[in-house]
Amino acid sequence: MNPADEVTVVVRRHILPGHEGQFEHAMRDFVSFVLSCPGHVGISVLRPSDGNGEYVVVDRFASAAARKTLVASPEYERWMKLLGAHTEGEAHIQEMNGLDAWLNEPGTPMRTPPRYKTAAATYLGVCLVIFLLNITVGGPIRSLLPAWLSFFLFNACVVALLTWVFMPLISSALSSWLFTPQAGTAPATTPNHDENNEK
């Protein structure tokens, strides 16, 4: 799986008062459904923390094609109708492609920096991770395993460390630079999509 091809989808739903239990029951079954779909990487459900009734679902796909295949399926349409029956108004969907999903401003709905800043921060993260791996486990990996296996294992370590350790740290450490727009430019954000337009 190429991380640059990944698609991250953030869905925000305001649940109708009194429908929380029904929604959570339906969501549990929906999670089981999407986890069995080809090209689906993972899903997280965040419950309301301040009593506003907003549930946030973060869905990750290996590619835009995998996402499109799921959205076009009759099963997905049936699930959207079922979840929509417990939703107040329309669900708000944000879709992020590739490396953009690694960098987002804390406390905002997936606001991302300009592309050149994303590239610079990613380059820094890649350099740090590769340097760290080379001075620690890189040598043993290359000496103990066949060349093809060490190649895949080393790169898997790079992707894992970037995704779960270094990019969140870099996003936090460089936030004042990453998310400060240049004079005369608007802050970079990801567009909202109406759920009906996603089908």
Side-chain angles (χ1 to χ4, degrees):
M1 182 180 66
N2 187 347
D5 294 333
E6 272 197 27
V7 173
T8 300
V9 181
V10 181
V11 183
R12 300 173 183 275
R13 292 177 179 273
H14 283 274
I15 306 307
L16 290 167
H19 285 238
E20 292 82 5
Q22 294 165 287
F23 174 79
E24 291 201 8
H25 178 77
M27 179 55 68
R28 281 194 293 270
D29 291 339
F30 175 71
V31 168
S32 298
F33 161 68
V34 295
L35 287 176
S36 67
C37 295
H40 190 269
V41 177
I43 184 170
S44 301
V45 181
L46 308 178
R47 291 181 173 86
S49 59
D50 54 5
N52 65 358
E54 182 182 73
Y55 282 74
V56 180
V57 180
V58 181
D59 222 355
R60 294 173 56 222
F61 298 85
S63 66
R67 159 79 174 155
K68 185 177 180 179
T69 299
L70 173 63
V71 170
S73 68
E75 293 86 354
Y76 179 85
E77 184 175 0
R78 182 177 68 84
W79 278 110
M80 291 303 98
K81 289 180 179 178
L82 180 59
L83 295 173
H86 306 295
T87 303
E88 185 176 4
E90 294 290 340
H92 296 279
I93 295 179
Q94 294 172 294
E95 185 173 316
M96 304 178 70
N97 298 311
L99 301 179
D100 286 343
W102 279 353
L103 295 170
N104 64 86
E105 183 173 15
T108 67
M110 300 297 278
R111 178 176 172 228
T112 57
R115 285 299 176 92
Y116 78 93
K117 292 186 178 182
T118 297
T122 303
Y123 175 75
L124 174 62
V126 169
C127 288
L128 290 173
V129 170
I130 291 178
F131 175 76
L132 177 64
L133 289 175
N134 276 327
I135 65 173
T136 54
V137 299
I141 287 176
R142 283 187 284 268
S143 63
L144 297 175
L145 299 174
W148 67 270
L149 183 56
S150 66
F151 172 82
F152 285 108
L153 180 58
F154 186 89
N155 284 290
C157 292
V158 170
V159 172
L161 286 172
L162 278 173
T163 302
W164 287 291
V165 180
F166 279 83
M167 295 314 294
L169 289 175
I170 289 174
S171 178
S172 177
L174 301 182
S175 61
S176 60
W177 174 71
L178 285 169
F179 305 105
T180 301
Q182 291 180 310
T185 63
T189 59
T190 53
N192 285 335
H193 303 286
D194 186 278
E195 188 159 59
N196 293 325
N197 294 332
E198 290 289 321
K199 297 179 181 180

